[in-house]
């Protein structure tokens, strides 16, 4: 009888993190040792690091969520992914936007009302409805989610989702108004932070107590860069004047700060973005007969106002609006469709999504059957796999 060959454990744990997500999840069933290894925080971090450092790995940019998720929709047996009866979260995976991956939304999200993508970080999406109760963390790659505890039922103004690298933890921040309804002149803005490791919300102070308005950026690119989240805000200055600035929140020390906008805030940022790991914004600068001129600005050295640099200007005509930017600086734009095929007419699609190269200004049309509600990065990961209380979505 031939002796069965044995693969040393140290070789196994070297190979496993380099495998695809589906294979790794299946290998949990091999034995208890493999299961405990795969679900350990160290293994999950190693796998994520491999994916982030792999230049050919599938990093997504466009994520689509239906505006409304109902119990009837999630339980429907329809196979058509283009209708609400079978809602999906769609991700354009590769850097060329040629590969589309679809992730089915579970019936566990069956709540009447809208569902907003707060942010995307390391393969995890933060989802919330307009009332913020409940709020979810969802990893569609491993079909796992976590329902966050309920929090103060004040009217939320804006939010963010970030990764704290110093402690290998995740945080959700909600900025809300204590006045009902939210009125700029009478609003008192406060903040609460949720930490995944403690599974609790905590109130954090906003020392900029004269802050009056925060522009929600839930439909723009994620603005988590240099360890901080960012929003566009109005700050009241001395003698009753106010200026437009960028509000920052450092996820490590949990402190708010402000970053000046070029030309004393006279530029009007519309979308905050991250371009090549630098804080950036897209501003509307000038209206003309056939459209609007947009400027793309990048902060070369984080926190230094003098390092703001205008990279280029785009003139867009028959567009509706800019969705966001890729991490390489291409601009994603929604335009009105000039010609429509029979299939598009049948589905009621009246737009096209294009990606514009900032250097050559060449356009490439993206074949996406739904309008993307969030332009952000996405990479498959095992994050949340080690969180035992979570439920698995089947």
């Amino acid at each position: 009888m031939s002796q069965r060959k044995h693969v040393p454990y140290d070789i196994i744990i070297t190979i496993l993190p380099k495998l695809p997500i589906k294979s790794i999840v299946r290998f949990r069933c091999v034995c208890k040792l493999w299961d405990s290894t795969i679900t350990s925080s160290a293994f999950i971090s190693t796998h994520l690091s491999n994916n982030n450092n792999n230049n050919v790995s599938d990093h997504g940019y466009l994520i689509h969520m239906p505006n409304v998720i109902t119990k009837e929709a999630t339980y429907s047996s329809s196979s058509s992914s283009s209708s609400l009866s079978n809602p999906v979260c769609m991700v354009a995976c590769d850097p060329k936007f040629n590969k589309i991956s679809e992730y089915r939304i579970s019936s566990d999200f069956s709540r009447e009302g809208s569902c907003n993508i707060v942010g995307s970080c390391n393969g995890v999406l933060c989802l919330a409805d307009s009332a913020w109760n409940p709020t979810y963390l969802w990893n569609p790659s491993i079909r796992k989610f976590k329902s966050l505890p309920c929090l103060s039922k004040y009217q939320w103004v804006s939010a963010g989702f970030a990764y704290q690298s110093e402690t290998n933890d995740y945080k959700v921040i909600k900025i809300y108004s204590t006045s009902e309804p939210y009125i700029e002149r009478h609003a008192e803005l406060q903040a609460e932070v949720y930490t995944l490791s403690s599974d609790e919300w905590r109130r954090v102070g906003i020392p900029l107590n004269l802050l009056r308005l925060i522009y929600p950026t839930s439909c723009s690119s994620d603005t988590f860069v240099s360890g901080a989240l960012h929003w566009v805000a109005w700050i009241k200055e001395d003698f009753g004047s106010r200026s437009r600035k960028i509000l920052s929140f450092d996820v490590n020390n949990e402190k708010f700060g402000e970053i000046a906008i070029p030309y004393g805030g006279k530029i009007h940022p519309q979308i905050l973005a991250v371009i090549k790991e630098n804080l950036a914004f897209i501003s509307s600068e000038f209206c003309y007969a056939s459209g609007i001129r947009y400027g793309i600005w990048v902060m070369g050295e984080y926190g230094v106002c003098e390092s703001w640099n205008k990279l280029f200007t785009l003139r867009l005509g028959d567009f509706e609006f800019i969705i966001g930017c890729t991490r390489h600086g291409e601009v994603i734009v929604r335009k009105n469709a000039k010609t429509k095929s029979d299939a598009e007419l049948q589905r009621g699609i009246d737009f096209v999504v294009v990606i514009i190269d900032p250097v050559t200004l060449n356009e490439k049309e993206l074949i996406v059957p739904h309008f993307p509600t969030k332009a952000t990065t996405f990479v498959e990961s095992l994050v949340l796999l080690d969180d035992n209380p979570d439920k698995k979505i089947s």
Side-chain angles (χ1 to χ4, degrees):
M1 181 180 296
S2 61
Q3 186 176 4
R4 186 168 55 185
K5 293 182 178 180
H6 173 72
V7 180
Y9 179 70
D10 58 344
I11 295 180
I12 291 175
I13 61 176
T14 301
I15 297 174
L16 282 178
K18 301 177 182 179
L19 298 178
I21 291 284
K22 290 184 179 179
S23 299
I24 293 175
V25 172
R26 286 199 301 265
F27 285 149
R28 292 180 60 191
C29 302
V30 172
C31 63
K32 291 183 178 180
L33 178 60
W34 283 35
D35 178 65
S36 62
T37 298
I38 292 171
T39 56
S40 67
S41 298
F43 182 91
I44 293 171
S45 297
T46 300
H47 177 269
L48 178 63
S49 178
N50 287 342
N51 269 4
N52 285 331
N53 294 330
N54 185 1
N55 291 329
V56 298
S57 63
D58 288 340
H59 286 75
Y61 290 110
L62 299 182
I63 299 176
H64 164 78
M65 289 287 290
N67 290 330
V68 178
I69 300 175
T70 64
K71 187 174 297 185
E72 291 75 12
T74 53
Y75 280 108
S76 172
S77 60
S78 170
S79 60
S80 173
S81 62
S82 62
S83 66
L84 186 59
S85 61
N86 188 22
V88 293
C89 171
M90 299 187 58
V91 181
C93 281
D94 64 355
K96 300 298 183 181
F97 293 89
N98 294 323
K99 177 182 175 182
I100 301 292
S101 293
E102 294 187 359
Y103 297 96
R104 176 71 185 272
I105 295 175
S106 166
S107 58
D108 292 287
F109 293 131
S110 57
R111 177 179 175 85
E112 300 294 336
S114 62
C115 186
N116 304 306
I117 297 180
V118 175
S120 170
C121 193
N122 291 340
V124 178
L125 305 181
C126 179
L127 309 174
D129 68 359
S130 57
W132 264 86
N133 285 311
T135 304
Y136 296 100
L137 297 182
W138 180 38
N139 185 334
S141 302
I142 59 174
R143 299 182 300 169
K144 205 153 186 207
F145 82 101
K146 181 179 184 65
S147 178
L148 275 55
C150 294
L151 70 165
S152 303
K153 295 184 178 180
Y154 290 113
Q155 183 177 0
W156 73 281
V157 177
S158 195
F161 176 51
Y163 172 66
Q164 184 181 6
S165 58
E166 291 184 0
T167 59
N168 190 28
D169 209 349
Y170 293 82
K171 293 184 177 182
V172 180
I173 180 171
K174 171 196 173 186
I175 300 175
Y176 60 91
S177 168
T178 56
S179 65
E180 292 286 350
Y182 173 56
I183 302 175
E184 178 186 345
R185 285 178 294 178
H186 304 291
E188 179 185 355
L189 297 179
Q190 299 182 6
E192 291 186 355
V193 175
Y194 168 85
T195 304
L196 179 61
S197 59
S198 64
D199 195 30
E200 292 179 343
W201 288 94
R202 293 175 292 101
R203 181 172 295 181
V204 293
I206 303 180
L208 308 173
N209 53 6
L210 297 179
L211 181 67
R212 283 297 179 263
L213 177 65
I214 295 180
Y215 290 116
T217 59
S218 60
C219 292
S220 67
S221 298
D222 273 1
T223 52
F224 177 60
V225 62
S226 297
L229 288 161
H230 304 83
W231 302 265
V232 180
W234 281 107
I235 305 292
K236 188 175 181 180
E237 307 289 0
D238 296 334
F239 307 108
S241 63
R242 65 178 187 175
S243 63
R244 188 184 286 106
K245 294 185 178 181
I246 295 177
L247 176 72
S248 65
F249 177 77
D250 190 310
V251 298
N252 291 310
N253 59 28
E254 297 189 351
K255 292 183 178 180
F256 284 92
E258 60 182 68
I259 298 175
I261 294 171
Y263 299 107
K266 296 179 180 180
I267 296 175
H268 303 288
Q270 300 294 319
I271 296 176
L272 293 177
V274 179
I275 297 178
K276 296 182 179 180
E277 300 184 355
N278 291 319
L279 179 63
F281 68 80
I282 300 175
S283 62
S284 58
E285 298 179 346
F286 180 74
C287 295
Y288 61 100
S290 58
I292 300 178
R293 186 174 70 190
Y294 283 86
I296 287 77
W297 296 75
V298 172
M299 176 171 273
E301 183 179 352
Y302 182 76
V304 179
C305 179
E306 292 76 15
S307 68
W308 279 117
N309 179 36
K310 186 178 181 181
L311 292 184
F312 56 92
T313 300
L314 285 178
R315 289 194 175 189
L316 303 176
D318 54 351
F319 75 104
E320 290 191 18
F321 51 85
I322 294 176
I323 302 169
C325 295
T326 72
R327 57 182 175 165
H328 301 296
E330 299 97 340
V331 183
I332 305 171
V333 180
R334 167 175 168 158
K335 289 188 173 183
N336 296 321
K338 295 180 179 179
T339 60
K340 293 187 287 187
S341 64
D342 292 339
E344 290 173 332
L345 289 171
Q346 191 173 23
R347 291 183 300 177
I349 298 176
D350 59 355
F351 65 88
V352 294
V353 177
V354 299
I355 182 169
I356 302 176
D357 187 296
V359 178
T360 64
L361 298 183
N362 290 334
E363 297 184 6
K364 176 182 178 180
E365 183 176 340
L366 308 181
I367 309 302
V368 290
H370 299 280
F371 174 62
T373 58
K374 186 78 174 180
T376 184
T377 56
F378 179 82
V379 59
E380 291 190 338
S381 76
L382 296 168
V383 177
L384 294 185
L385 191 62
D386 58 340
D387 199 48
N388 294 327
D390 286 356
K391 292 173 61 178
K392 179 179 179 181
I393 299 176
S394 57

